[in-house]
Amino acid sequence: MKKIGVFTSGGDAPGMNACIRAVVRTALKAGLEVYGIRRGYAGMIEGDIIPLDKYSVSNILQLGGTILRSARSREFRTEEGRARARAKLAEYGISHLVAIGGDGTFAGARVFLKEYPELSIVGVPGTIDNDLFGTDFTIGYDTAINTAMRAIDNIKDTANSHDRVFFVEVMGRDAGFIALRTAIATGAEAVLVPEARTDIAELVETLRWNYRHKKTSSIVIVAEGDDEGGAFDIAKKVKQQMPDCEYRVTILGHIQRGGSPTCQERVLATQLGMEAVNALLDGSSGIMVGQVCQKITYTPLEKAIKHHHPMDKTMLKMVSLLA
Ligand code: F6P
């Protein structure tokens, strides 16, 4: 192994740059040549590949987004697309890759490895959703929940001033981890997540109880993948049963994906980036490096994307218990 390629793919996440920096500098220290593949699998297919030296990653640790940019490639889902990507890697003499991304990125890496087993790929969990098995936290999650928390703190000020119910939708695709943590951290009155069935009648009862007990403003955090729909749908359903409810809806959206990574994020991203290169140097492939109980772990890509780590039901109950 003389050359290594690194890329970010899928939704960008704060901390990806810190991880790229760690990958590049660890690999250079080990005497490897490092290439950055821009725009994920799309850039791999097109040969959008650039050499990286120590200084290409200077002063990026604190930046959100990804200097290598990102994409969701349709073409890589086809056999022809993957063959083109393989050919481009061969042109550059790259056979070892660090893939920073989420389940889509790892699903792509698995198929690629099945077709071209001579390649070696190690994954690093990079997604704000925290929906991968084999790591307590994914890169991007901590920053995203802090961003969401601050936004909801602001919403609480206006909710209190106007005696309103706010339905705040957070990201997470089909996982409720962002919703759960921000609900606890902001003292929300309710949280709706895909991992637990949503009962609108029960939610209405909670809000009514609040009114009866002189709590005239409430925050309901809705994970975007909730079984009863997004925040607008839920608000409408509540309004049907509670016509006197004065409500507003806020979709936090992509502000959760940006911003400077938190300290915890930068440290995690740096550790995982370094360990990904070490794993490749040790001859590993088809695995994701993660961190469980502060220890570095290695999980087969297949397992990392097939299972979520389970949602902590006690934490879920905590929201209604303390509201
Ligand atoms: O996976 C990260 C994520 O931000 C999800 O939370 C969200 O559902 C999705 O990406 C949004 O994707 P896009 O930026 O392509 O709209």
Side-chain angles (χ1 to χ4, degrees):
M1 160 181 172
K2 288 204 176 69
K3 295 181 182 179
I4 187 176
V6 56
F7 64 97
T8 48
S9 167
D12 62 318
M16 280 182 164
N17 282 326
C19 187
I20 295 167
R21 173 181 174 272
V23 168
V24 170
R25 295 205 170 160
T26 308
L28 290 172
K29 280 262 160 72
L32 304 172
E33 275 177 54
V34 190
Y35 288 86
I37 301 163
R38 288 152 43 93
R39 294 179 298 109
Y41 292 117
M44 198 183 287
I45 291 169
E46 290 159 27
D48 192 356
I49 299 174
I50 50 167
L52 295 174
D53 64 16
K54 185 175 177 359
Y55 303 106
S56 335
V57 291
S58 293
N59 215 15
I60 65 165
L61 183 70
Q62 73 281 18
L63 302 180
T66 158
I67 60 155
L68 292 177
R69 304 177 60 203
S70 196
R72 302 188 201 274
S73 169
R74 279 179 194 279
E75 207 184 340
F76 194 77
R77 294 197 192 141
T78 67
E79 217 176 302
E80 299 74 44
R82 292 190 294 274
R84 285 185 61 197
R86 176 70 190 99
K88 282 291 170 199
L89 290 179
E91 244 176 64
Y92 283 82
I94 301 168
S95 54
H96 290 70
L97 295 164
V98 174
I100 309 166
D103 50 5
T105 307
F106 297 165
R110 274 197 66 225
V111 184
F112 206 29
L113 277 176
K114 266 202 184 141
E115 289 170 348
Y116 304 104
E118 69 280 12
L119 294 174
S120 295
I121 308 179
V122 168
V124 181
T127 163
I128 64 164
D129 300 337
N130 204 35
D131 59 349
L132 293 166
F133 183 79
T135 192
D136 287 342
F137 299 110
T138 55
I139 296 169
Y141 176 63
D142 188 59
T143 307
I145 53 179
N146 276 287
T147 302
M149 179 189 74
R150 282 194 299 272
I152 295 161
D153 285 348
N154 289 2
I155 291 170
K156 279 183 86 165
D157 291 343
T158 172
N160 282 334
S161 306
H162 284 273
D163 298 332
R164 282 172 175 159
V165 175
F166 266 84
F167 295 88
V168 184
E169 185 176 305
V170 296
M171 277 187 168
R173 202 180 291 271
D174 52 4
F177 298 108
I178 296 178
L180 176 60
R181 288 239 164 193
T182 52
I184 292 172
T186 58
E189 276 62 34
V191 60
L192 310 179
V193 293
E195 290 83 354
R197 200 182 61 79
T198 292
D199 184 338
I200 298 291
E202 197 181 296
L203 175 61
V204 167
E205 194 36 54
T206 304
L207 297 175
R208 283 218 172 101
W209 190 94
N210 286 353
Y211 271 113
R212 282 200 300 275
H213 291 82
K214 311 259 179 291
K215 196 177 195 178
T216 49
S217 74
S218 291
I219 302 286
V220 179
I221 313 264
V222 182
E224 65 175 339
D226 188 70
D227 51 306
E228 281 290 344
F232 278 107
D233 303 315
I234 308 258
K236 267 193 213 139
K237 289 176 190 175
V238 167
K239 182 81 176 168
Q240 274 166 9
Q241 296 186 33
M242 213 179 155
D244 51 329
C245 167
E246 158 114 20
Y247 77 86
R248 292 291 185 270
V249 173
T250 304
I251 312 284
L252 291 189
H254 286 78
I255 65 157
Q256 294 160 98
R257 283 250 291 268
S260 180
T262 61
C263 177
Q264 180 172 316
E265 205 84 88
R266 297 179 199 192
V267 174
L268 176 73
T270 301
Q271 285 178 303
L272 296 185
M274 209 178 98
E275 292 306 334
V277 175
N278 288 338
L280 282 173
L281 287 166
D282 287 346
S284 298
S285 178
I287 54 149
M288 178 196 83
V289 290
Q291 201 182 60
V292 175
C293 296
Q294 304 199 12
K295 291 227 161 58
I296 296 296
T297 54
Y298 307 93
T299 307
L301 291 177
E302 186 189 350
K303 214 169 160 192
I305 55 183
K306 247 196 187 155
H307 312 274
H308 277 186
H309 53 253
M311 176 154 284
D312 187 333
K313 294 283 168 1
T314 316
M315 280 176 84
L316 204 51
K317 276 195 198 130
M318 209 186 274
V319 176
S320 50
L321 197 77
L322 301 179

